[in-house]
Amino acid sequence: MSDNFILETSDLGMAYGRFVALFGVDLKVQEGTIHAVIGPNGAGKTTLFHCLTGNRLPTSGRVMFRDADITRMPSHRRIGIGMSRSFQITSLFQNLSVRENLRLAAQGRHMVKAMNFWGSVEGYPEPLEISEELLDRLGLMDRADVIAGELSHGQQRILEVGMAMAAKPKMLLLDEPTSGMGIDDIPAMTRLIKELGHDHTVLLIEHNMDIVMSISSIISVMHQGRILVEGAPEMVQKDERVRTAYLGEAI
Amino acid sequence: MKIPRFLKGTTIASLVAVLILPFVLPSTSLAIEVLIFSIAALGCNLLLGYTGLLSFGQGIFFGMGSYATSLCLQRLDAGLVTSLLLAFVVGGLVAAVVGGLSIRRRGIYFVMLTLAFAQMFYFMAYTASGLTGGDNGLLDVPRPPLRVFGFEISTLGASLSYYVFVAVLFLAIFVALRRIIHSPFGSTLLAIRDNEERATAIGYNTRYFKIVAFMISGSITAVAGGLYAMFLNFAPLSNIEHLMGEQILFMTIIGGTGSLFGSFLGAGFLIVVGDVLSAIWPRWLMLLGFLLIAIVLFMRGGLWGCIESLMGRFRGHQNTKKDPPLSESPTGSLSTKEEAKNER
């Protein structure tokens, strides 16, 4: 295995009964890049994502993360090896404050300390510090004590990504971070992901072409359960097969 | 000197309540009963209010606690503290098994599993009459004097001295639960209650947390069961019936889930109102049904939620929604979870 691939799948296949969603996908994500996976609806992006996060067990092939086989590792343990994710449909602790959301996300990295039922929350300062730092970075400081469910949709999407950052992962898997966002909020998200690319590896599933083309270093285009084309944005943009795949969907 | 958070606020309220209770209620026994069931409701609240687990299994822990204490007193001739400690351990272990198996399913299937366990333990107790006395229950359960390191502190013979003993335990459990709730562990329980999928995604093995919550709840409820057996001098089969579990659930919901002081209010309300109404009308349980419907429909925060919003109005603040984890009913959170799933 090559050293600079942080995540690799080999021959990853997924079948739901007789319907095959993934046909032997070999995805290689280079460390320190923003790698986007795009493709028309039904191309298998979400299924691929589920297999990478441990929500679904692939029916064939395997997933390697930093040279360790994690195909069967339960999702909650993936935080510990430095892999964290965000959700396409916003999934926050709606009844807890923004600060508490981030603190809990930071606390999850150390299960043993989180199981402490006799000490106080203040007695474990690291998650508190991380949450303050993130509130600042996400521009949510003035909303820190607001219940997460009361944030605007755009802010909830930002917090959604922030929750994944709180575990201080090596790699972030972002599932359509701009899903449902208004045009006004998108630049902030784009900036955030771009910044994340400086010190993390980011795997991004995204529909918004402008974002994908402007920030990713490598794009994998999926079509009908396979990776159709892979390469730099300029190359993908010009590729005939990609156009046909997308046009095919339009017709 | 800085007073820790768990010794302020509702802890002081409980202390005051415990001090005046025997004087405002018509009898000390009634006050004892209120506190014993407050302890049971506290145990239930940790699951229902703070973890979002609606367990019909609380009667199991209560009944097992009362059997464990009674048998320990009768057969092993053990002391009071030992017997209650045994109940504590047995309750925790039984809860680990019942909880551990039930949480393998979620939502309504989880609830059904706890109900099935409640029936199973009831029939086990009914069948094992050599141990439990079956239908007759265990008669002549003694209430030994309270001895600590060989020193006799009190004979606990008089109602008031037993009340003091129960009150001290109640306050200790209340404070301990407040500590637990404000600990990293407790904050994680709230997270699991709110959104288990996310809790898993940020690294929590939610099963461990639920099992530990179950064990704490089971231990506390079993202590209440043990205290109840010593209070009645009798461990009836009804202690382990599913009705017992339901009663504990009623108290927790009426008082307000997600508020520890609410558990005391709920237990006090149900027992005192039951005492008054049953003297007037034998069918009083029917009224209770209406009451429960009214609370679920109009007063989702229970009695505590009511007091909170009244206090808020009194102060002129509009902060009735300030603490949603402490005033939102678990039925609400269950339904929102279902909705979230349907969206998917």
Side-chain angles (χ1 to χ4, degrees):
Chain A
M1 299 264 155
S2 168
D3 279 347
N4 45 3
F5 289 128
I6 185 166
L7 183 83
E8 279 182 74
T9 72
S10 50
D11 192 34
L12 199 68
M14 180 76 191
Y16 297 100
R18 286 174 62 194
F19 173 73
V20 183
L22 294 178
F23 293 92
V25 172
D26 294 309
L27 181 75
K28 288 183 169 53
V29 181
Q30 210 157 51
E31 188 149 13
T33 58
I34 298 182
H35 190 131
V37 176
I38 63 170
N41 284 328
K45 302 184 299 288
T46 304
T47 305
L48 174 67
F49 198 82
H50 282 321
C51 291
L52 297 181
T53 57
N55 280 42
R56 293 266 188 290
L57 204 58
T59 38
S60 70
R62 54 185 189 157
V63 182
M64 306 287 285
F65 183 72
R66 301 169 80 207
D67 294 339
D69 190 337
I70 58 159
T71 318
R72 294 176 167 273
M73 183 184 270
S75 21
H76 63 85
R77 276 185 42 211
R78 295 180 187 224
I79 287 288
I81 58 164
M83 190 171 161
S84 91
R85 67 166 297 189
S86 77
F87 289 81
Q88 183 190 351
I89 297 166
T90 310
S91 176
L92 303 168
F93 303 120
Q94 297 279 341
N95 295 310
L96 305 178
S97 72
V98 174
R99 180 180 273 121
E100 181 67 358
N101 265 273
L102 290 169
R103 193 194 65 78
L104 283 163
Q107 185 186 256
R109 202 157 50 123
H110 300 291
M111 260 290 276
V112 179
K113 285 184 177 165
M115 288 294 277
N116 174 1
F117 60 81
W118 206 242
S120 72
V121 164
E122 287 77 16
Y124 179 21
E126 197 196 329
L128 287 163
E129 285 156 15
I130 294 177
S131 65
E132 290 308 305
E133 191 187 303
L134 277 174
L135 282 170
D136 194 42
R137 186 163 172 189
L138 301 172
L140 290 172
M141 196 53 104
D142 54 331
R143 310 283 282 161
D145 297 311
V146 172
I147 302 303
E150 288 174 10
L151 290 180
S152 72
H153 182 76
Q155 287 172 323
Q156 290 199 18
R157 292 308 296 169
I158 295 274
L159 180 58
E160 176 66 46
V161 174
M163 298 280 280
M165 294 159 65
K168 302 256 168 193
K170 300 220 162 34
M171 180 174 188
L172 281 150
L173 307 175
L174 306 180
D175 193 358
E176 288 196 36
T178 61
S179 132
M181 271 180 115
I183 319 170
D184 301 337
D185 295 326
I186 288 184
M189 182 62 90
T190 315
R191 218 177 310 122
L192 178 65
I193 300 172
K194 204 168 179 177
E195 274 174 31
L196 284 177
H198 296 322
D199 36 20
H200 302 80
T201 309
V202 179
L203 180 76
L204 182 69
I205 289 189
E206 187 52 73
H207 268 310
N208 188 314
M209 281 303 152
D210 291 343
I211 293 189
V212 172
M213 292 302 164
S214 66
I215 62 174
S216 23
S217 19
I218 296 182
I219 298 176
S220 300
V221 186
M222 287 190 74
H223 183 53
Q224 293 179 346
R226 293 184 174 86
I227 292 180
L228 186 68
V229 177
E230 195 168 68
E234 311 79 57
M235 187 210 117
V236 168
Q237 227 163 354
K238 285 185 204 134
D239 197 290
E240 257 330 291
R241 289 169 296 173
V242 178
R243 293 185 182 204
T244 333
Y246 272 90
L247 279 177
E249 190 203 22
I251 296 162
Chain B
M1 197 184 84
K2 200 166 164 267
I3 301 164
R5 179 171 43 188
F6 55 86
L7 290 179
K8 286 191 271 192
T10 53
T11 305
I12 294 172
S14 322
L15 181 68
V16 172
V18 156
L19 288 175
I20 60 168
L21 205 58
F23 304 104
V24 292
L25 291 184
S27 73
T28 318
S29 333
L30 204 61
I32 295 173
E33 216 173 323
V34 167
L35 287 193
I36 289 176
F37 280 99
S38 297
I39 295 174
L42 282 174
C44 181
N45 210 341
L46 183 72
L47 284 183
L48 184 59
Y50 292 89
T51 325
L53 294 173
L54 177 68
S55 150
F56 278 96
Q58 300 310 101
I60 301 173
F61 315 139
F62 194 87
M64 290 303 277
S66 76
Y67 286 134
T69 305
S70 308
L71 287 172
C72 191
L73 290 171
Q74 286 180 333
R75 305 255 173 117
L76 306 177
D77 211 16
L80 180 84
V81 178
T82 321
S83 309
L84 284 176
L85 273 178
L86 183 78
F88 186 84
V89 172
V90 167
L93 292 179
V94 172
V97 175
V98 171
L101 290 170
S102 301
I103 59 155
R104 299 182 75 89
R105 289 288 170 270
R106 288 183 193 165
I108 196 79
Y109 300 100
F110 161 81
V111 177
M112 293 311 288
L113 278 171
T114 62
L115 239 157
F117 272 113
Q119 283 297 45
M120 199 178 90
F121 271 86
Y122 167 74
F123 281 107
M124 266 162 53
Y126 182 76
T127 316
S129 53
L131 213 55
T132 64
D135 216 4
N136 298 323
L138 286 171
L139 303 172
D140 298 321
V141 175
R143 190 197 297 167
L146 174 63
R147 280 202 195 91
V148 179
F149 301 118
F151 294 104
E152 186 171 313
I153 293 173
S154 164
T155 60
L156 298 187
S159 272
L160 195 63
S161 58
Y162 192 58
Y163 175 81
V164 173
F165 176 65
V166 174
V168 168
L169 275 183
F170 164 75
L171 288 174
I173 289 171
F174 190 91
V175 171
L177 276 177
R178 280 199 81 186
R179 256 198 101 127
I180 291 173
I181 281 156
H182 293 121
S183 70
F185 172 80
S187 68
T188 310
L189 291 186
L190 279 181
I192 293 172
R193 195 196 98 160
D194 225 27
N195 184 346
E196 189 170 351
E197 186 188 30
R198 187 69 199 219
T200 307
I202 56 178
Y204 296 105
N205 185 347
T206 57
R207 280 178 63 183
Y208 285 161
F209 284 87
K210 286 174 169 181
I211 290 176
V212 174
F214 247 106
M215 289 177 72
I216 297 172
S217 174
S219 294
I220 291 172
T221 313
V223 167
L227 289 171
Y228 196 53
M230 286 192 282
F231 164 68
L232 297 175
N233 295 121
F234 173 42
L237 185 63
S238 65
N239 276 3
I240 203 166
E241 242 179 307
H242 71 95
L243 265 174
M244 180 56 80
E246 280 165 27
Q247 200 183 344
I248 295 170
L249 271 176
F250 278 176
M251 289 169 178
T252 315
I253 294 170
I254 288 177
T257 50
S259 142
L260 294 180
F261 193 67
S263 294
F264 167 75
L265 291 177
F269 182 82
L270 204 70
I271 284 171
V272 175
V273 167
D275 187 68
V276 173
L277 285 182
S278 60
I280 304 170
W281 191 35
R283 307 257 183 283
W284 68 278
L285 275 169
M286 212 167 90
L287 291 180
L288 196 70
F290 286 121
L291 187 76
L292 201 73
I293 293 169
I295 284 186
V296 171
L297 284 181
F298 306 113
M299 241 168 66
R300 296 254 303 260
L303 291 173
W304 177 250
C306 234
I307 291 178
E308 251 189 343
S309 60
L310 280 178
M311 282 195 323
R313 217 170 283 173
F314 186 68
R315 287 189 196 132
H317 295 304
Q318 305 103 315
N319 57 356
T320 46
K321 279 170 73 183
K322 206 184 97 201
D323 270 342
L326 300 184
S327 56
E328 216 191 71
S329 91
T331 34
S333 73
L334 275 179
S335 68
T336 49
K337 263 179 208 158
E338 295 303 330
E339 279 156 25
K341 267 182 203 139
N342 291 342
E343 263 177 39
R344 199 144 302 186

